[in-house]
Amino acid sequence: QVQLQESGPGLMKPSETLSLTCAVSGDSLSNYYWSWLRQPPGKGLEWIGYINYNGNTYYKPSLRSRVTISLGTPKNQFSLKLTSVTTADTAVYYCALGTNGGSYYHFDYWGQGTLLTVAS
Amino acid sequence: SYELTQPPSVSVSPGQTAIITCGGDRLGEKYSSWYQQRPGQSPVLVIYQDNHRPSGIPERFSGSNSGNTATLTISGTQAMDEADYYCQAWGDSTVVFGGGTKLTVL
């Protein structure tokens, strides 16, 4: 059974850099692509980007200039860095494991999410 | 950029069939997935690659995708199915989600 657990600061000020970590446990983790997503309060889901077990990354184009996803050591965790946060980045942030089939991509397992509030 | 459009809300009586649609340009040429999100919970994958159910998802959930529309069908809808539902596809080299549909079981 795959389990994911996000951890993060909870509250930040505008212009700061967000760092989130996702701890992952379970079998066959290397078969998945490891993603970050977010959901502003009362709104829909937004994908941020993914990293695979080889360290290859891909980011949503509109966020690419501010986002870095990296693997941890050992490889049972991965992280998200988001620079220059604003109030628009207030959201529940989820980590998820996904299947990338080339022409398809879906998210098989999700963490419980961690709320980030950006306020001055 | 590629967009997916869902109706904001759908209502259904218990035991009836709920149909939630997701529209996108030539969506039938892509693979669609569907997620259920109950209030205060994380999303759960209920359909992937148009019409496959993950282990543990009840058989009353089914999916199809053709033309410009993907469809999630819930047969014999139960009160526990009341939730937000999101469609998702891979389009323009990025993951795209629909805006979500709130399913109300009256």
Side-chain angles (χ1 to χ4, degrees), chain A residues 39 47 58 94 105 107 111-112, chain B residues 35 37 42 86 88 93-94:
Chain A
Q39 184 173 34
W47 174 72
Y58 193 82
Y94 296 100
Y105 193 99
F107 302 97
Q112 67 182 30
Chain B
Y35 302 85
Q37 186 177 32
S42 304
Y86 294 91
Q88 176 252 311
S93 299
T94 187

Side-chain angles (χ1 to χ4, degrees), chain A residues 51-101:
Chain A
I51 189 166
N52 67 14
Y53 212 66
N54 295 321
N56 299 312
T57 56
Y58 193 82
Y59 305 130
K60 180 176 181 177
S62 62
L63 294 172
R64 186 171 293 149
S65 63
R66 297 199 293 139
V67 172
T68 303
I69 297 175
S70 57
L71 291 174
T73 304
K75 287 185 178 179
N76 65 341
Q77 65 180 29
F78 65 114
S79 300
L80 168 71
K81 285 194 187 304
L82 181 67
T83 62
S84 304
V85 299
T86 71
T87 56
D89 295 312
T90 293
V92 174
Y93 284 75
Y94 296 100
C95 58
L97 297 194
T99 296
N100 185 340

